Amino acid sequence: MLGITFNVTLGVGLLQMSLGMPTEYQGHTIGLLGNFNDDIADDFRARGFTDSLPSNITDEDIFQQFGQTCEYFC
């Protein structure tokens, strides 16, 4: 067993997702789930870019500038 939990719930007009995983995965994730290193400043790194988007960007900007870059690859 991997010890990973994944939960999707219906929110107000959207789906909400939560993920739990053991600390042994820390620093080994990429993509839409961030990189699991306790540094929120580098979680929004769009696919193909080395710089991260600011952690205070809007939900719309997260979708446009981050989420859409993973549409076919993540």
Side-chain angles (χ1 to χ4, degrees), residues 53 57-70:
L53 299 169
I57 62 176
T58 66
D59 290 343
E60 183 177 345
D61 286 339
I62 292 171
F63 175 75
Q64 296 288 334
Q65 300 175 35
F66 175 70
Q68 290 292 83
T69 67
C70 291

Side-chain angles (χ1 to χ4, degrees), residues 17-44:
M17 179 198 82
S18 63
L19 178 77
M21 63 177 56
T23 56
E24 63 205 46
Y25 291 99
Q26 193 161 4
H28 298 286
T29 63
I30 58 172
L32 290 174
L33 301 177
N35 57 19
F36 191 35
N37 67 355
D38 293 328
D39 182 1
I40 63 168
D42 67 0
D43 279 343
F44 297 119

Side-chain angles (χ1 to χ4, degrees), residues 2 4 8-10 12 15 25 29 33 36 40 42-43 46 48 51 55-57 60 64 67 69 71-72:
L2 296 175
I4 298 172
V8 177
T9 57
L10 180 60
V12 179
L15 292 175
Y25 291 99
T29 63
L33 301 177
F36 191 35
I40 63 168
D42 67 0
D43 279 343
D51 293 332
S55 60
N56 64 345
I57 62 176
E60 183 177 345
Q64 296 288 334
T69 67
E71 183 176 16
Y72 298 107

